């Protein structure tokens, strides 16, 4: 393949053709839920109607082809009434946190999407799995590795799939540079510099509260961890880290900015940043035979970049990562195929997050088990 033909790893035509092929496959592999009638769309219930559900997931579900908004779970009656009116949700598909487990008896709902503060993820993922529903869980997966394990085990025990809401992994531009790294086109990776950061001025959100699973590492940190992990193609073996709080009036319970380094088995190194006080979003990889630069690399849209010999700038159908994420995950369920971001992927990131917290606390290198 010459350089001209290799400058773009995917084309819009290829991407849309692949999507059409998957849709056709789905038509011949219908999802059956203990009944004779096949489903061509999965009903999704959103648990927690905060900003992310309201402004991003619910609108995205109006664009999806493989799933739809079937129900909601909220502790606020006014929200329930407003959503019922706006999205024509049936009364029988509206739950609160006391009636949540009754969702087991509702055939309209196939997937429960947990969009709650991280401290609540384990409880509601486990309860959803026990109710016999597949589960999508927003990131960060959970505050601890022990929580992640319990969530994975509950879904496995009840034969339900568990996907983590890593919408960026469903962006073809991110998939393109990951493919480049996996194929070793530029040789072995030697150094990664990666940042995932934005300025968050809120004061009462879960991201600022320790007991709700807040802190920048679980939120933005997983993106920079993923940038390094997937660019290098290995799991890190040790970390060092430092935390900084430039606005203690806001970030006095949790870290505002984290700068951390990871050492990989091959000898590759990464230098990463995650922050609620800096605007920065990029991935730079130095390979043996060239470089890769993505900026932005994990934004909601517009991710693009260059590498030695080519360009990565793929139009995203719908231009909506959340819609693509939910369609991909619904299709994987219906076809009983592997998920792009299963619970195990979420747990890999939390293993690193736990090590980073220990490294920042002790000031020492911490090995990752």
């Amino acid at each position: 393949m010459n350089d001209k033909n290799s400058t773009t790893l995917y084309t819009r035509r290829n991407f849309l053709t692949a999507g059409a092929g998957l849709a056709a496959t789905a038509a011949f592999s219908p999802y059956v839920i203990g009944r004779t009638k096949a489903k061509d769309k999965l009903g999704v219930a959103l648990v927690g109607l905060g900003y992310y559900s309201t402004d991003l997931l619910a609108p995205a579900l109006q664009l999806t082809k493989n799933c739809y908004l079937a129900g909601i779970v909220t502790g606020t009656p006014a929200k329930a009434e407003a959503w019922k009116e706006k999205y024509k949700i049936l009364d029988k598909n509206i739950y609160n946190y006391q009636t949540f487990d009754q969702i087991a008896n509702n055939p309209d709902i196939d997937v429960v999407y947990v969009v709650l503060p991280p401290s609540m993820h384990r409880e509601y993922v486990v309860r959803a799995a026990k109710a016999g529903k597949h589960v999508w869980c927003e990131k960060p997966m959970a505050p601890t590795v022990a929580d992640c394990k319990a969530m994975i085990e509950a879904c496995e025990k009840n034969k339900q799939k568990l996907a983590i809401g890593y919408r960026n992994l469903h962006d073809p531009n991110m998939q393109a540079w990951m493919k480049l790294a996996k194929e070793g086109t530029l040789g072995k990776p030697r150094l990664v510099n990666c940042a995932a950061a934005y300025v968050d001025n809120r004061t009462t959100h879960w991201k600022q509260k320790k007991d709700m699973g807040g802190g920048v590492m679980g939120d933005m940190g997983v993106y920079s961890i993923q940038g390094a992990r997937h660019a290098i193609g290995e799991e890190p073996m040790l970390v060092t880290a430092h935390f900084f709080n430039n606005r203690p009036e806001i970030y006095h319970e949790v870290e505002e900015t984290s700068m951390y380094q990871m050492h990989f088995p091959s000898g590759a190194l990464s230098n990463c940043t995650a922050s609620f006080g800096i605007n920065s979003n990029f991935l730079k990889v130095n390979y043996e035979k060239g470089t890769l630069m993505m900026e932005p690399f994990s934004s909601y849209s517009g991710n693009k970049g260059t590498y030695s010999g080519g360009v990565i700038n793929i139009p995203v159908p719908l231009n909506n990562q959340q819609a693509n994420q939910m369609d991909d995950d619904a299709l994987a369920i219906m076809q009983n195929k592997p998920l792009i971001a299963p619970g195990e992927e979420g747990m890999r990131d939390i293993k690193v997050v736990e090590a980073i917290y220990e490294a920042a606390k002790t000031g020492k290198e911490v090995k990752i088990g």
Side-chain angles (χ1 to χ4, degrees):
M1 183 180 291
N2 61 43
D3 287 344
K4 182 177 180 181
N5 290 334
S6 65
T7 54
T8 301
L9 297 180
Y10 297 99
T11 66
R12 178 177 177 82
R13 176 179 293 179
N14 289 340
F15 186 82
L16 292 176
T17 300
L22 288 174
T25 302
F28 293 99
S29 302
Y31 178 67
V32 182
I33 308 179
R35 300 176 298 173
T36 57
K37 184 179 179 181
K39 282 196 171 186
D40 57 2
K41 282 189 175 186
L42 302 187
V44 178
L46 296 176
V47 184
L49 305 183
Y51 156 76
Y52 199 72
S53 286
T54 300
D55 290 8
L56 294 167
L57 294 178
L61 281 163
Q62 310 313 302
L63 304 173
T64 49
K65 297 179 180 180
N66 301 323
C67 54
Y68 68 100
L69 179 60
I72 54 174
V73 181
T74 179
T76 307
K79 285 185 179 181
E81 194 60 32
W83 280 61
K84 172 186 173 181
E85 179 67 23
K86 183 174 183 178
Y87 294 110
K88 311 305 178 187
I89 299 173
L90 301 176
D91 285 333
K92 69 184 183 68
N93 294 350
I94 298 175
Y95 299 85
N96 58 41
Y97 297 108
Q98 289 69 47
T99 62
F100 174 83
D101 300 302
Q102 295 174 19
I103 209 166
N105 304 315
N106 192 333
D108 291 350
I109 296 171
D110 308 297
V111 179
V112 169
Y113 196 152
V114 179
V115 199
L116 296 165
S119 59
M120 302 174 71
H121 286 183
R122 174 176 176 171
E123 176 186 351
Y124 281 90
V125 167
V126 171
R127 288 172 67 179
K130 288 181 177 178
K133 305 299 179 182
H134 298 290
V135 191
W136 298 342
C137 179
E138 195 45 48
K139 63 88 186 164
M141 182 175 176
T144 70
V145 173
D147 289 335
C148 295
K149 288 181 179 178
M151 294 157 68
I152 292 170
E153 289 171 0
C155 289
E156 288 179 346
K157 181 179 179 180
N158 291 281
K159 296 181 173 55
Q160 304 301 315
K161 286 187 178 289
L162 170 61
I164 307 305
Y166 286 146
R167 42 90 192 163
N168 59 313
L169 294 182
H170 299 261
D171 186 320
N173 290 283
M174 184 156 181
Q175 292 172 351
W177 70 253
M178 288 169 59
K179 182 174 184 289
L180 186 77
K182 186 176 182 179
E183 293 179 345
T185 305
L186 301 177
K188 294 181 180 180
R190 308 314 305 159
L191 178 66
V192 172
N193 284 279
C194 188
Y198 75 101
V199 177
D200 195 325
N201 295 317
R202 290 175 292 188
T203 59
T204 59
H205 194 266
W206 66 259
K207 295 181 183 182
Q208 290 87 43
K209 297 184 178 296
K210 185 176 181 178
D211 63 355
M212 297 180 75
V216 76
M217 276 311 308
D219 188 56
M220 300 307 291
V222 296
Y223 293 129
S224 45
I225 289 171
Q226 285 178 358
R229 287 179 51 242
H230 290 294
I232 294 172
E234 299 174 350
E235 298 304 315
M237 51 190 266
L238 65 84
V239 299
T240 58
H242 297 277
F243 291 165
F244 304 91
N245 286 41
N246 291 329
R247 295 179 293 168
E249 69 278 10
I250 298 177
Y251 295 95
H252 53 274
E253 294 186 13
V254 298
E255 74 284 357
E256 178 183 11
T257 296
S258 172
M259 302 187 74
Y260 62 96
Q261 299 74 40
M262 295 187 288
H263 184 192
F264 292 80
S266 64
L269 302 171
S270 71
N271 185 42
C272 300
T273 301
S275 180
F276 287 144
I278 302 168
N279 285 313
S280 186
N281 193 301
F282 72 89
L283 170 73
K284 181 180 180 182
V285 189
N286 290 89
Y287 290 96
E288 291 176 316
K289 302 176 184 178
T291 59
L292 164 73
M293 182 69 185
M294 296 289 297
E295 189 171 12
F297 93 102
S298 64
S299 292
Y300 284 164
S301 63
N303 297 314
K304 62 185 184 299
T306 61
Y307 63 95
S308 299
V311 173
I312 297 174
N313 189 7
I314 305 163
V316 180
L318 301 179
N319 196 30
N320 190 303
Q321 289 178 346
Q322 288 82 7
N324 294 333
Q325 167 203 325
M326 291 186 286
D327 264 343
D328 286 347
D329 289 341
L331 199 61
I333 291 171
M334 289 190 287
Q335 296 182 340
N336 194 27
K337 291 186 175 180
L339 295 156
I340 287 177
E344 289 78 7
E345 175 70 3
M347 186 166 67
R348 290 184 195 107
D349 291 331
I350 300 305
K351 281 184 178 180
V352 181
V353 170
E354 280 195 341
I356 288 170
Y357 276 120
E358 185 179 349
K361 181 179 180 180
T362 63
K364 299 178 180 179
E365 291 183 349
V366 173
K367 292 183 179 180
I368 302 174

